[in-house]
């Protein structure tokens, strides 16, 4: 029996879509694939087809699938202590908090504090409450930005089509054009509590902040006593070749609040909100979560950070990312490749209506003409070559615009 055949589960192939439609809310529609197994940078569906995973659970599976370090950490912790709630401390969360603070890598971060939760949206909810705790009523958030789908994080999301069905939103959020420093300068006043943004807008199509924008925001915030909040949910945890996206632009800017999730848990649900000293405004009883900082997910996150450090994966991200850009940038259908490291947006001259899965790859399209590539951070050069060949084959089949 071949490796591909051994992955198939024919008994469920013909029924899973019906079962999905009859048991799950229609928030995502019905998926085209039913994935049953993953190993490294590859996954298999219920019909036994193998795919190179260039989406990694939307930038979540930082070390790929079934990584031994995560499996061992989670298994050991689950056999030791599975859950405590936040009524009690445990070693994994204390260790992880120290590691997360150390990733910022600046002297001012030594006195930072971390709140652990379960997702990027929850991390941004915590940041929202920090902003509210300043006593100032106004928050500035970037147009076309994405910060989550809970009511608070949705209010921060600069995409009217996502907000409209659930209005009225929590009040006080105004939206500025991403990258327009003059607009922010005009909008930021004595009533402004915080300025929110992503270092690289992910869901909009992988759009990095323009050169000098973060530094300009930092200046405005310092002059007017405003908190600078950077959402690193997608760009963080090594995806750009630095621990955080704001570190990869070379400006040296350090935010007051950093939110993160996705790759932090390597596939397990965890989020974090890190606050510098001037942003430590949530006192005892002002916020909380039952599952946040769970021992098992913290064990996974500790393993992810250790593995990235021990295997020098930040350098791998930079090298393999550059390899992918070099292999794709001269294709006649490619007009631009945006992003950094292994957070890339391949911009095409026409909308891509082809299904990447038909070419043996998993990736998605945050907009019709942009292919988002966010593979595991340990994607090998050989796998990157394979990815480039498969993407090129798909691009070759695109109809002329």
């Amino acid at each position: 029996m071949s490796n591909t055949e051994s992955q198939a589960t024919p008994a469920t192939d013909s029924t899973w879509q019906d079962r999905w439609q009859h048991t799950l809310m229609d928030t995502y529609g019905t998926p085209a694939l039913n994935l049953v197994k993953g190993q490294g940078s590859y996954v298999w569906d219920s019909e036994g087809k193998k795919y190179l995973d260039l989406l990694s659970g939307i930038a979540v599976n930082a070390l790929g699938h079934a990584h031994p370090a995560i499996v061992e950490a989670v298994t050991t912790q689950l056999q030791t202590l599975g859950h405590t709630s936040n009524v009690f401390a445990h070693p994994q969360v204390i260790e992880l908090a120290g590691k997360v603070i150390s990733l910022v890598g600046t002297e001012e971060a030594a006195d930072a504090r971390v709140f652990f939760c379960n997702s990027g949206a929850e991390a941004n909810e915590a940041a929202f409450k920090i902003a509210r705790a300043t006593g100032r009523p106004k928050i500035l958030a970037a147009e076309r930005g994405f910060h989550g789908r809970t009511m608070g994080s949705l209010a921060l999301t600069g995409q009217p089509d996502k907000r409209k069905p659930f209005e009225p939103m929590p009040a006080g959020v105004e939206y500025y054009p991403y990258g327009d420093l003059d607009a922010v300068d005009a909008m930021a006043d004595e009533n402004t509590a915080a300025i929110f943004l992503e270092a690289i807008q992910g869901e909009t199509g992988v759009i990095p902040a323009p050169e000098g924008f973060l530094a300009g925001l930092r200046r405005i915030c310092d002059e007017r006593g405003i908190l600078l909040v950077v959402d690193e949910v997608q760009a963080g945890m090594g995806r750009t070749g630095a621990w955080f996206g704001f570190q990869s632009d070379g400006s040296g800017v350090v935010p007051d609040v950093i939110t993160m999730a996705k790759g932090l848990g390597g596939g397990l649900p965890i989020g974090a909100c890190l606050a510098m000293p001037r942003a430590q405004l949530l006192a005892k009883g002002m916020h909380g979560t039952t599952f946040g900082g769970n021992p098992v997910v913290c064990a996974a996150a500790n393993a992810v950070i250790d593995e990235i450090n021990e295997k020098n994966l930040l350098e791998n991200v930079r090298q393999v990312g550059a390899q992918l850009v070099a292999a794709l940038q001269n294709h006649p259908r490619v007009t631009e490749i945006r992003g950094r490291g292994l957070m890339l947006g391949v911009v095409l001259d026409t909308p891509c209506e082809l299904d990447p899965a038909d070419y043996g790859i998993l990736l998605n399209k945050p907009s019709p003409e942009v292919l988002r590539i966010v593979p595991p951070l340990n994607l090998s050069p050989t796998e990157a070559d394979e990815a480039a060949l498969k993407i090129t084959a798909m691009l070759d089949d695109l109809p002329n615009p």
Side-chain angles (χ1 to χ4, degrees), residues 67-210:
H67 192 282
I70 297 177
V71 172
E72 180 181 0
V74 168
T75 302
T76 300
Q77 186 60 48
L78 194 56
Q79 291 172 336
T80 305
L81 181 66
H83 180 67
T84 63
S85 83
N86 285 301
V87 176
F88 308 100
H90 61 84
Q92 292 287 356
V93 72
I94 295 171
E95 179 182 353
L96 181 60
K99 287 179 180 176
V100 167
I101 291 169
S102 73
L103 301 182
V104 181
T106 61
E107 185 176 341
E108 60 213 282
D111 294 321
R113 297 293 184 270
V114 184
F115 173 79
F116 288 111
C117 50
N118 311 288
S119 68
E122 289 179 57
N124 287 322
E125 289 280 350
F128 198 132
K129 290 178 76 172
I130 289 172
R132 284 282 189 259
T134 65
R136 296 183 177 187
K138 187 165 80 172
I139 294 172
L140 301 182
E143 292 177 359
R144 302 176 68 194
F146 182 83
H147 299 285
R149 295 179 184 268
T150 54
M151 289 298 285
S153 62
L154 184 59
L156 297 169
T157 292
Q159 300 179 30
D161 59 324
K162 288 184 172 64
R163 298 194 309 266
K164 187 172 179 58
F166 306 103
E167 292 175 341
M169 291 282 103
V173 182
E174 299 179 11
Y175 308 96
Y176 63 87
Y178 186 67
D180 189 337
L181 202 57
D182 290 338
V184 177
D185 197 19
M187 295 172 70
D189 56 24
E190 68 277 2
N191 292 316
T192 305
I195 299 174
F196 278 74
L197 78 156
E198 300 158 88
I200 301 176
Q201 288 190 331
E203 297 303 311
T204 301
V206 191
I207 302 174

Side-chain angles (χ1 to χ4, degrees), residues 268-308:
L268 276 75
I270 184 172
C273 179
L274 181 149
M276 297 297 175
R278 66 187 298 263
Q280 290 167 25
L281 303 176
L282 297 182
K284 182 178 178 180
M286 292 177 69
H287 198 46
T289 169
T290 299
F291 290 105
N294 171 276
V296 176
V297 296
C298 285
N302 278 316
V304 168
I305 293 173
D306 289 346
E307 185 73 9
I308 292 173

